[in-house]
């Protein structure tokens, strides 16, 4: 997780910077090209973060024992059911 965190920190910084710039856009004088560029950039960073998260989860899963893997699957299934019930 520490290794992945080091890889993710630049992406998190970029995401925070892009989000701040999007929030700072003056609604009276919108530059649509700038907003679209920032939105595209944010989407790209989010996609990279999603992939990195999936990679980290896969690495963690591989080091679990079969019993731990089963417990994790059961927990994920239970959480999915609880989320669906809302």
């Amino acid at each position: 997780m520490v290794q992945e965190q080091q890889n993710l920190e630049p992406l998190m910084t970029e995401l925070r910077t892009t989000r701040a710039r999007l929030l700072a856009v003056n609604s009276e004088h919108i530059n649509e090209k700038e907003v679209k560029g920032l939105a595209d950039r944010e989407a790209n960073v989010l996609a990279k973060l999603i992939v990195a998260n999936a990679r980290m989860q896969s690495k963690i899963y591989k080091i679990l024992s079969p019993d731990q893997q089963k417990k994790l699957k059961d927990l994920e299934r239970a959480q999915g059911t609880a989320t669906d019930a809302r």
Side-chain angles (χ1 to χ4, degrees), residues 5-7 13 17-18 21 24 28-29 31-32 36 43 47-48 53 66 86:
Q5 185 178 10
Q6 291 171 350
N7 294 336
T13 299
T17 302
T18 303
R21 288 181 63 196
E28 291 180 21
H29 306 288
N31 178 338
E32 289 186 30
K36 172 135 177 38
K48 289 178 183 179
N53 184 47
R86 290 184 200 174

Side-chain angles (χ1 to χ4, degrees), residues 29-53:
H29 306 288
I30 294 176
N31 178 338
E32 289 186 30
K33 186 176 180 180
E34 178 186 13
V35 171
K36 172 135 177 38
L38 289 169
D40 289 345
R41 186 172 174 185
E42 183 172 324
N44 189 319
V45 172
L46 285 172
K48 289 178 183 179
L49 286 169
I50 291 168
V51 170
N53 184 47

Side-chain angles (χ1 to χ4, degrees), residues 8 10-11 24 26 28 31-32 52 54 59 61-62 77 82 84:
L8 295 178
L11 292 174
N26 185 341
E28 291 180 21
N31 178 338
E32 289 186 30
K59 288 179 181 179
Y61 186 82
K62 289 177 183 177
R77 196 175 4 255
D84 293 342

Side-chain angles (χ1 to χ4, degrees), residues 67-78:
D67 187 49
Q68 290 171 322
Q69 290 176 353
K70 182 185 179 317
K71 287 180 182 179
L72 179 60
K73 286 180 185 177
D74 291 344
L75 178 62
E76 289 172 341
R77 196 175 4 255

